[in-house]
Amino acid sequence: MNPVLEPLFRTVRATHPKADLRLIERAYDVAAYHHRDQKRKSGDPYITHPLAVATILAELGTDDETLCAALLHDTVEDTAYSLDELRADFGENIALLVDGVTKLDKVKFGDAAQAETVRKMVVAMSRDIRVLVIKLADRLHNMRTMRYLPEHKRQQKSRETLEIFAPLAHRLGMNTIKWELEDLAFAMLYPKRYDEIARMVSERAPRRDLFLQEVIEKVSADLREAKIRAAVKGRPKHYYSVYQKMIARDVAFDDIYDLVGIRVLVDTVRDCYAALGTIHARWNPVPGRFKDYIAMPKFNMYQSLHTTVIGPEGKPVELQIRTHAMHHRAEYGVAAHWKYKEEMNTAGPSGTKLKATGDMAWLRQLLDWQKETADPGEFLESLRFDLSVSEVYVFTPRGQVIALPEGATPVDFAYAVHTEVGHRCIGARVNGRLVPLESRLGNGDTVEIFTSKSPDAGPSRDWLKFVKSGRARNKIRQWFSKERRETAIEAGKEAIGRAMRKQGLPLQRLMSGESLLVLARDMRYPDVSSLYAAVGEGHVAAQTVVQKLVQSVGGVEAAEEDIAETAVPTKLRGRPRGGGAGVVVAGDSDVWVRLSRCCTPVPGDEIVGFVTRGHGVSVHRGNCPNIAQLKSDPDRLVEVSWSPSEDSVFLVAIQVEALDRPRLLSDVTRTLSDQHVNILSASVTTSRDRVAISKFTFEMGDPKHLGHVLKAVRNIQGVYDVYRVSGAGA
């Protein structure tokens, strides 16, 4: 046996004892031969990549056909080895898998092309889901070795991973893959946020681990006493999931991180409920936090009991209770089901027939979408949206369960039942009571839809404001694009006109056919009507079109020639006119000089002077964005140089980026005060992804002191970046 394969075979023997090792070794030999002259970006022989992908899949417990396909997955694309040769050497099944993976890799990237890639992925995985499993393992190994790629490639691949591949792994129940993909992509895309969370986690780890140990010991003792065989352990915290919870639950890091997670593994389903009763007997459960995913599994076959209790010291403890089999499925998902085709047609452990349709209903839904949605970009948007949301489960009047995105409405339900039911929906009854169509559905609701018999019945455009499912949104948009194009064109025209009137813009000049046609082409619409229709259907905001039109004709009005004019004169304190600002004008020391507020220059910066009308000379940094405009009047540019004195005071603008938390602003302002700087202005914005961006403008006498100020601010908990910016108000 080839010694290189020993680690792989050791894993295969442990997870899939009946695998044909000779076949796997033959696949390795063929792949190694054909990749023999190729190297990876890291300089390693290329064969290390297929071998690593096969090892990842072996750890998940996949079958020997999948492992062979993983070893051969790049041969057809990157070497002279043809698909027909591969089919002759390894049979139809392995050839189909390799062909599926090759098709996914062949597509060029870019937004629409990326959507097209995902579409091909859906087709490939509908034929054999193992194609996607191989692709996910391939992406995981590429993410692990991403550091050898150029920066723009790393950003692109990481974003794709976070938006498409990690959620797909989640949909297929492959949580081990999902978590690692998320953390690797998060570290690549937002290294400073990742490092800050890692630092905060490591600082609290010792105290938290003691508390965790105490909880585990108490739960284990209770279960032993109740004669329930169980393995109790802490759940690992993944940095990206901590960050996601900060955004989704809108709470501070401490509140999430202090929430201890425990996993209880037992032998049978009956033991799951017995363990739940035992735990609830010791600690009070938190109302509304119990979920039974055993009786009603999640979309990706995930089963578990979830509960949150108030544990020792009054701290909440999250528990997941599941059988060992459920745990295996939760970790590895479909990848562990290497016998999934046989299982679909054979009896399950309790004698019931296992159905693939329920497990993978989501795949069927994706196939439906991709037949319905002509625009690849729209398909990708729907897919991203559908991948990222959690679900609610509601019932039809006949008791059939339908899964919908969280926050879904009766309109989403109607479209989930049938397109025509959605189009003709005029009312709904939830749990026997009439409700508005925009009301949110909750778990366990029974929903009944009323439809119109009128031949002209159709959806309302207002529904787009509240529907949550990609399917409903696509169907409503399709209906409008087919049936109501003329109306949409009129509505779009009106909306653009209204937006212009609101801003007092010259309607006739801006809406001339020529400028609109140029804009339509720039925005990739074939003609002006299509642009109007896009606005009318809500694909593009009227305001966006107006802004682009204004830019195309050179701005609302040319800016005033002087920018410095927002500048605030620095205090002169009776010194010579140039000295208070610490700047002198070449050839004339008695000119009133002031430092421009738009770029806040300090000694050490390259500077330029500009003679203003009636306000002396304004001084700008050499790289100030406004210099280009000032240079259009070169006669008014003058040479200036630094000449700071003891009384000179300079304006500095800094930007602070931090993970949002309570009292963050007061901590930053207190630190700045401790550094003896006089804050003149501050602005704070918090984005949806829980990042607080604060901008401060302050006065300081000695610019060398700035380094100490930045260092002090960077040491504040949650702050991951702080730097000087070129504009005080920018």
Side-chain angles (χ1 to χ4, degrees), residues 381-424:
E381 261 322 298
S382 309
L383 174 68
R384 273 184 192 147
F385 184 85
D386 196 67
L387 286 172
S388 61
V389 294
S390 26
E391 302 198 327
V392 293
Y393 299 90
V394 295
F395 294 96
T396 66
R398 291 183 178 174
Q400 183 193 345
V401 177
I402 289 186
L404 293 169
E406 200 168 30
T409 64
V411 175
D412 293 292
F413 175 86
Y415 279 103
V417 171
H418 195 278
T419 304
E420 277 307 305
V421 175
H423 286 344
R424 295 179 171 278

Short mmCIF file of all heavy atoms in Angstrom, two decimals, residues 381-424:
data_model
loop_
_atom_site.label_atom_id
_atom_site.label_comp_id
_atom_site.label_asym_id
_atom_site.label_seq_id
_atom_site.Cartn_x
_atom_site.Cartn_y
_atom_site.Cartn_z
N GLU A 381 -30.59 35.80 -5.54
CA GLU A 381 -31.14 36.57 -4.42
C GLU A 381 -32.11 35.71 -3.62
O GLU A 381 -32.06 35.66 -2.39
CB GLU A 381 -31.88 37.82 -4.93
CG GLU A 381 -31.07 39.10 -4.86
CD GLU A 381 -30.20 39.20 -3.63
OE1 GLU A 381 -30.72 39.22 -2.50
OE2 GLU A 381 -28.97 39.24 -3.77
N SER A 382 -33.01 35.03 -4.34
CA SER A 382 -34.00 34.18 -3.66
C SER A 382 -33.31 33.08 -2.87
O SER A 382 -33.68 32.78 -1.75
CB SER A 382 -34.93 33.52 -4.68
OG SER A 382 -35.45 34.46 -5.55
N LEU A 383 -32.28 32.51 -3.50
CA LEU A 383 -31.58 31.41 -2.84
C LEU A 383 -30.89 31.90 -1.58
O LEU A 383 -31.01 31.30 -0.51
CB LEU A 383 -30.54 30.82 -3.81
CG LEU A 383 -29.63 29.75 -3.20
CD1 LEU A 383 -30.43 28.51 -2.87
CD2 LEU A 383 -28.52 29.38 -4.15
N ARG A 384 -30.17 33.04 -1.69
CA ARG A 384 -29.48 33.58 -0.51
C ARG A 384 -30.47 33.82 0.61
O ARG A 384 -30.24 33.50 1.76
CB ARG A 384 -28.85 34.92 -0.87
CG ARG A 384 -27.47 34.78 -1.46
CD ARG A 384 -26.88 36.15 -1.69
NE ARG A 384 -25.69 36.02 -2.50
CZ ARG A 384 -25.28 36.92 -3.37
NH1 ARG A 384 -25.97 38.02 -3.54
NH2 ARG A 384 -24.20 36.75 -4.05
N PHE A 385 -31.61 34.42 0.24
CA PHE A 385 -32.61 34.76 1.25
C PHE A 385 -33.14 33.48 1.89
O PHE A 385 -33.24 33.36 3.09
CB PHE A 385 -33.76 35.53 0.58
CG PHE A 385 -34.80 36.00 1.55
CD1 PHE A 385 -34.62 37.19 2.23
CD2 PHE A 385 -35.93 35.25 1.83
CE1 PHE A 385 -35.56 37.62 3.14
CE2 PHE A 385 -36.86 35.67 2.73
CZ PHE A 385 -36.68 36.87 3.40
N ASP A 386 -33.44 32.49 1.04
CA ASP A 386 -34.04 31.26 1.55
C ASP A 386 -33.06 30.47 2.41
O ASP A 386 -33.46 29.76 3.32
CB ASP A 386 -34.53 30.40 0.38
CG ASP A 386 -35.49 29.33 0.86
OD1 ASP A 386 -36.58 29.70 1.30
OD2 ASP A 386 -35.13 28.14 0.82
N LEU A 387 -31.76 30.60 2.09
CA LEU A 387 -30.77 29.85 2.86
C LEU A 387 -30.57 30.43 4.25
O LEU A 387 -30.22 29.74 5.18
CB LEU A 387 -29.42 29.89 2.13
CG LEU A 387 -29.29 29.02 0.89
CD1 LEU A 387 -28.00 29.33 0.19
CD2 LEU A 387 -29.33 27.55 1.25
N SER A 388 -30.79 31.74 4.38
CA SER A 388 -30.33 32.39 5.61
C SER A 388 -31.39 32.49 6.70
O SER A 388 -31.09 32.88 7.81
CB SER A 388 -29.85 33.80 5.27
OG SER A 388 -30.92 34.54 4.73
N VAL A 389 -32.65 32.17 6.39
CA VAL A 389 -33.69 32.42 7.41
C VAL A 389 -34.02 31.16 8.20
O VAL A 389 -33.86 30.05 7.72
CB VAL A 389 -34.99 32.95 6.76
CG1 VAL A 389 -34.77 34.30 6.15
CG2 VAL A 389 -35.51 31.99 5.71
N SER A 390 -34.52 31.35 9.43
CA SER A 390 -35.04 30.20 10.18
C SER A 390 -36.51 30.04 9.80
O SER A 390 -37.07 30.87 9.11
CB SER A 390 -34.85 30.41 11.67
OG SER A 390 -34.81 31.76 11.97
N GLU A 391 -37.13 28.97 10.30
CA GLU A 391 -38.44 28.61 9.77
C GLU A 391 -39.52 28.53 10.84
O GLU A 391 -39.24 28.36 12.02
CB GLU A 391 -38.34 27.25 9.06
CG GLU A 391 -37.33 27.27 7.94
CD GLU A 391 -37.52 26.13 6.96
OE1 GLU A 391 -37.94 25.05 7.39
OE2 GLU A 391 -37.25 26.31 5.76
N VAL A 392 -40.78 28.67 10.37
CA VAL A 392 -41.94 28.35 11.22
C VAL A 392 -42.70 27.24 10.51
O VAL A 392 -42.65 27.12 9.28
CB VAL A 392 -42.88 29.57 11.43
CG1 VAL A 392 -42.21 30.63 12.24
CG2 VAL A 392 -43.37 30.15 10.13
N TYR A 393 -43.40 26.43 11.31
CA TYR A 393 -44.15 25.31 10.74
C TYR A 393 -45.63 25.55 10.96
O TYR A 393 -46.07 25.75 12.10
CB TYR A 393 -43.72 23.99 11.42
CG TYR A 393 -42.26 23.70 11.22
CD1 TYR A 393 -41.31 24.16 12.13
CD2 TYR A 393 -41.81 22.99 10.11
CE1 TYR A 393 -39.96 23.92 11.95
CE2 TYR A 393 -40.46 22.75 9.91
CZ TYR A 393 -39.54 23.20 10.83
OH TYR A 393 -38.20 22.96 10.64
N VAL A 394 -46.39 25.55 9.86
CA VAL A 394 -47.84 25.78 9.97
C VAL A 394 -48.58 24.63 9.31
O VAL A 394 -48.00 23.86 8.54
CB VAL A 394 -48.24 27.13 9.33
CG1 VAL A 394 -47.63 28.29 10.08
CG2 VAL A 394 -47.83 27.19 7.87
N PHE A 395 -49.88 24.52 9.61
CA PHE A 395 -50.68 23.41 9.11
C PHE A 395 -51.71 23.89 8.10
O PHE A 395 -52.27 24.98 8.23
CB PHE A 395 -51.42 22.73 10.26
CG PHE A 395 -50.51 22.06 11.25
CD1 PHE A 395 -50.12 22.71 12.42
CD2 PHE A 395 -50.02 20.78 11.02
CE1 PHE A 395 -49.28 22.10 13.34
CE2 PHE A 395 -49.17 20.17 11.93
CZ PHE A 395 -48.80 20.82 13.09
N THR A 396 -51.99 23.05 7.10
CA THR A 396 -53.15 23.27 6.23
C THR A 396 -54.38 22.78 7.00
O THR A 396 -54.23 22.05 7.99
CB THR A 396 -53.02 22.47 4.92
OG1 THR A 396 -53.08 21.08 5.25
CG2 THR A 396 -51.70 22.76 4.21
N PRO A 397 -55.61 23.13 6.55
CA PRO A 397 -56.80 22.63 7.26
C PRO A 397 -56.84 21.10 7.35
O PRO A 397 -57.45 20.53 8.24
CB PRO A 397 -57.96 23.17 6.41
CG PRO A 397 -57.40 24.40 5.78
CD PRO A 397 -55.96 24.09 5.50
N ARG A 398 -56.14 20.40 6.43
CA ARG A 398 -56.13 18.92 6.46
C ARG A 398 -55.01 18.36 7.31
O ARG A 398 -54.79 17.15 7.35
CB ARG A 398 -56.00 18.38 5.03
CG ARG A 398 -57.24 18.64 4.19
CD ARG A 398 -57.08 18.02 2.85
NE ARG A 398 -58.27 18.21 2.04
CZ ARG A 398 -58.37 17.87 0.77
NH1 ARG A 398 -57.33 17.32 0.16
NH2 ARG A 398 -59.48 18.07 0.09
N GLY A 399 -54.22 19.25 7.95
CA GLY A 399 -53.18 18.76 8.87
C GLY A 399 -51.81 18.56 8.23
O GLY A 399 -50.90 18.06 8.87
N GLN A 400 -51.66 18.95 6.95
CA GLN A 400 -50.33 18.82 6.32
C GLN A 400 -49.43 19.95 6.84
O GLN A 400 -49.87 21.09 6.97
CB GLN A 400 -50.51 18.94 4.80
CG GLN A 400 -49.20 18.74 4.04
CD GLN A 400 -49.34 19.16 2.58
OE1 GLN A 400 -50.44 19.34 2.08
NE2 GLN A 400 -48.21 19.34 1.90
N VAL A 401 -48.17 19.61 7.14
CA VAL A 401 -47.23 20.62 7.67
C VAL A 401 -46.54 21.33 6.51
O VAL A 401 -46.06 20.69 5.58
CB VAL A 401 -46.15 19.96 8.56
CG1 VAL A 401 -45.14 21.00 9.05
CG2 VAL A 401 -46.80 19.29 9.75
N ILE A 402 -46.49 22.66 6.58
CA ILE A 402 -45.77 23.44 5.56
C ILE A 402 -44.74 24.31 6.29
O ILE A 402 -45.09 25.02 7.24
CB ILE A 402 -46.74 24.30 4.73
CG1 ILE A 402 -47.56 23.38 3.81
CG2 ILE A 402 -45.98 25.34 3.90
CD1 ILE A 402 -48.47 24.07 2.84
N ALA A 403 -43.48 24.23 5.84
CA ALA A 403 -42.41 25.05 6.45
C ALA A 403 -42.31 26.36 5.69
O ALA A 403 -42.28 26.37 4.46
CB ALA A 403 -41.09 24.30 6.38
N LEU A 404 -42.27 27.46 6.42
CA LEU A 404 -42.17 28.81 5.82
C LEU A 404 -41.08 29.59 6.53
O LEU A 404 -40.73 29.28 7.68
CB LEU A 404 -43.50 29.55 5.96
CG LEU A 404 -44.70 28.98 5.19
CD1 LEU A 404 -45.98 29.66 5.65
CD2 LEU A 404 -44.52 29.17 3.69
N PRO A 405 -40.53 30.64 5.88
CA PRO A 405 -39.52 31.46 6.58
C PRO A 405 -40.14 32.15 7.80
O PRO A 405 -41.33 32.45 7.80
CB PRO A 405 -39.11 32.50 5.53
CG PRO A 405 -39.66 32.02 4.24
CD PRO A 405 -40.80 31.12 4.54
N GLU A 406 -39.30 32.40 8.80
CA GLU A 406 -39.76 33.10 9.99
C GLU A 406 -40.33 34.46 9.59
O GLU A 406 -39.76 35.15 8.75
CB GLU A 406 -38.58 33.30 10.94
CG GLU A 406 -38.99 33.55 12.36
CD GLU A 406 -37.80 33.45 13.31
OE1 GLU A 406 -36.68 33.75 12.88
OE2 GLU A 406 -38.02 33.08 14.45
N GLY A 407 -41.49 34.83 10.18
CA GLY A 407 -42.11 36.11 9.82
C GLY A 407 -43.01 36.00 8.61
O GLY A 407 -43.51 37.01 8.11
N ALA A 408 -43.24 34.76 8.11
CA ALA A 408 -44.07 34.58 6.91
C ALA A 408 -45.52 34.97 7.21
O ALA A 408 -45.97 34.97 8.36
CB ALA A 408 -43.99 33.14 6.45
N THR A 409 -46.25 35.27 6.14
CA THR A 409 -47.64 35.74 6.23
C THR A 409 -48.56 34.75 5.52
O THR A 409 -48.07 33.84 4.83
CB THR A 409 -47.76 37.11 5.53
OG1 THR A 409 -47.46 36.91 4.13
CG2 THR A 409 -46.79 38.12 6.12
N PRO A 410 -49.89 34.91 5.64
CA PRO A 410 -50.81 34.03 4.90
C PRO A 410 -50.56 34.04 3.39
O PRO A 410 -50.79 33.04 2.72
CB PRO A 410 -52.19 34.61 5.25
CG PRO A 410 -52.01 35.22 6.60
CD PRO A 410 -50.63 35.77 6.60
N VAL A 411 -50.04 35.16 2.85
CA VAL A 411 -49.75 35.21 1.41
C VAL A 411 -48.62 34.23 1.07
O VAL A 411 -48.68 33.50 0.07
CB VAL A 411 -49.38 36.65 0.96
CG1 VAL A 411 -48.96 36.68 -0.50
CG2 VAL A 411 -50.55 37.59 1.20
N ASP A 412 -47.57 34.17 1.91
CA ASP A 412 -46.50 33.20 1.70
C ASP A 412 -47.06 31.78 1.73
O ASP A 412 -46.69 30.93 0.91
CB ASP A 412 -45.42 33.33 2.81
CG ASP A 412 -44.67 34.64 2.73
OD1 ASP A 412 -43.92 34.83 1.77
OD2 ASP A 412 -44.87 35.48 3.64
N PHE A 413 -47.96 31.54 2.68
CA PHE A 413 -48.58 30.22 2.81
C PHE A 413 -49.35 29.88 1.54
O PHE A 413 -49.25 28.77 1.01
CB PHE A 413 -49.52 30.23 4.03
CG PHE A 413 -50.32 28.95 4.20
CD1 PHE A 413 -49.79 27.87 4.88
CD2 PHE A 413 -51.60 28.85 3.67
CE1 PHE A 413 -50.52 26.70 5.03
CE2 PHE A 413 -52.34 27.69 3.81
CZ PHE A 413 -51.80 26.61 4.50
N ALA A 414 -50.13 30.85 1.02
CA ALA A 414 -50.95 30.62 -0.17
C ALA A 414 -50.06 30.22 -1.36
O ALA A 414 -50.36 29.26 -2.08
CB ALA A 414 -51.75 31.88 -0.51
N TYR A 415 -48.94 30.93 -1.54
CA TYR A 415 -48.04 30.58 -2.65
C TYR A 415 -47.33 29.25 -2.42
O TYR A 415 -46.98 28.56 -3.36
CB TYR A 415 -47.02 31.70 -2.89
CG TYR A 415 -47.59 32.84 -3.70
CD1 TYR A 415 -47.96 34.04 -3.10
CD2 TYR A 415 -47.79 32.71 -5.07
CE1 TYR A 415 -48.51 35.08 -3.85
CE2 TYR A 415 -48.32 33.74 -5.82
CZ TYR A 415 -48.69 34.92 -5.21
OH TYR A 415 -49.23 35.93 -5.96
N ALA A 416 -47.10 28.89 -1.16
CA ALA A 416 -46.48 27.59 -0.87
C ALA A 416 -47.43 26.45 -1.24
O ALA A 416 -47.00 25.38 -1.66
CB ALA A 416 -46.10 27.51 0.61
N VAL A 417 -48.75 26.70 -1.09
CA VAL A 417 -49.73 25.66 -1.43
C VAL A 417 -49.78 25.50 -2.95
O VAL A 417 -49.65 24.41 -3.49
CB VAL A 417 -51.13 26.03 -0.88
CG1 VAL A 417 -52.20 25.09 -1.41
CG2 VAL A 417 -51.11 26.01 0.65
N HIS A 418 -49.98 26.61 -3.68
CA HIS A 418 -50.03 26.57 -5.14
C HIS A 418 -49.97 28.00 -5.68
O HIS A 418 -50.50 28.92 -5.07
CB HIS A 418 -51.33 25.90 -5.62
CG HIS A 418 -51.28 25.51 -7.07
ND1 HIS A 418 -51.53 26.40 -8.09
CD2 HIS A 418 -50.98 24.33 -7.67
CE1 HIS A 418 -51.40 25.78 -9.26
NE2 HIS A 418 -51.05 24.52 -9.03
N THR A 419 -49.34 28.17 -6.85
CA THR A 419 -49.21 29.52 -7.43
C THR A 419 -50.57 30.18 -7.61
O THR A 419 -50.76 31.35 -7.27
CB THR A 419 -48.48 29.43 -8.79
OG1 THR A 419 -47.23 28.79 -8.57
CG2 THR A 419 -48.24 30.80 -9.37
N GLU A 420 -51.55 29.43 -8.15
CA GLU A 420 -52.87 30.01 -8.42
C GLU A 420 -53.58 30.42 -7.13
O GLU A 420 -54.28 31.42 -7.08
CB GLU A 420 -53.74 29.03 -9.22
CG GLU A 420 -53.48 29.05 -10.71
CD GLU A 420 -53.57 30.46 -11.31
OE1 GLU A 420 -54.60 31.13 -11.13
OE2 GLU A 420 -52.59 30.90 -11.95
N VAL A 421 -53.37 29.61 -6.08
CA VAL A 421 -53.97 29.95 -4.77
C VAL A 421 -53.39 31.29 -4.31
O VAL A 421 -54.11 32.16 -3.81
CB VAL A 421 -53.69 28.84 -3.72
CG1 VAL A 421 -54.20 29.26 -2.34
CG2 VAL A 421 -54.33 27.53 -4.14
N GLY A 422 -52.08 31.48 -4.53
CA GLY A 422 -51.43 32.74 -4.17
C GLY A 422 -51.99 33.92 -4.95
O GLY A 422 -52.38 34.94 -4.38
N HIS A 423 -52.06 33.76 -6.29
CA HIS A 423 -52.55 34.85 -7.14
C HIS A 423 -53.98 35.26 -6.78
O HIS A 423 -54.34 36.43 -6.84
CB HIS A 423 -52.51 34.43 -8.61
CG HIS A 423 -51.12 34.42 -9.19
ND1 HIS A 423 -50.05 35.03 -8.59
CD2 HIS A 423 -50.63 33.85 -10.34
CE1 HIS A 423 -48.96 34.85 -9.33
NE2 HIS A 423 -49.29 34.13 -10.39
N ARG A 424 -54.82 34.29 -6.42
CA ARG A 424 -56.25 34.57 -6.21
C ARG A 424 -56.60 34.82 -4.75
O ARG A 424 -57.76 34.98 -4.39
CB ARG A 424 -57.10 33.40 -6.74
CG ARG A 424 -56.97 33.24 -8.23
CD ARG A 424 -57.78 32.09 -8.79
NE ARG A 424 -57.75 32.15 -10.25
CZ ARG A 424 -58.55 32.92 -10.98
NH1 ARG A 424 -59.43 33.70 -10.38
NH2 ARG A 424 -58.46 32.94 -12.29
#
